[in-house]
């Protein structure tokens, strides 16, 4: 039979919530900045330059989104 003082809860505590939230916000902000930076740089390329890379305008958002996942 287990008593209440024998039960240990593994994992996160409520007191850890603010730190987790701050880390999540920081990570999402970095990902957003990476997305915007990548998208802006890709949009600055001419259609000829994009074509040389094998890209077109319709692909830019998905490429930027993929690049931001790594940030």
């Amino acid at each position: 039979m287990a008593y209440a003082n024998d039960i240990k809860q593994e994992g996160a505590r409520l007191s850890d919530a603010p730190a987790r939230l701050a880390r999540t916000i920081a990570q999402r902000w970095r990902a957003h900045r990476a997305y915007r930076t990548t998208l802006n740089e890709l949009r600055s390329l001419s259609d000829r330059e994009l074509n040389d890379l094998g890209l077109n305008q319709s692909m830019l958002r998905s490429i930027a989104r993929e690049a931001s996942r790594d940030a």
Side-chain angles (χ1 to χ4, degrees), residues 2 4 8 15 18-19 23 25-26 31 37-40 49 54 62 65 70:
K8 295 182 181 177
S15 62
R23 283 191 302 272
I25 290 171
T37 300
T38 304
L39 187 59
N40 289 338
E49 291 169 321
S62 63
R65 196 174 311 114
D70 299 331

Side-chain angles (χ1 to χ4, degrees), residues 52-71:
D52 288 345
L53 296 171
L55 306 174
N56 60 52
Q57 292 288 335
S58 66
M59 301 167 73
L60 300 184
R61 286 186 179 180
S62 63
I63 292 169
R65 196 174 311 114
E66 186 175 327
S68 71
R69 288 188 188 128
D70 299 331

Side-chain angles (χ1 to χ4, degrees), residues 3 5 7 11 15-16 19-21 30 32-33 36 40-42 45-46 51 54-55 62 67:
Y3 293 96
N5 58 355
I7 300 172
S15 62
D16 296 336
R20 280 194 321 272
L21 178 61
R30 283 190 302 272
H32 175 72
R33 292 302 307 152
R36 295 302 307 167
N40 289 338
E41 289 192 21
L42 288 172
L45 299 175
S46 69
N51 192 34
L55 306 174
S62 63

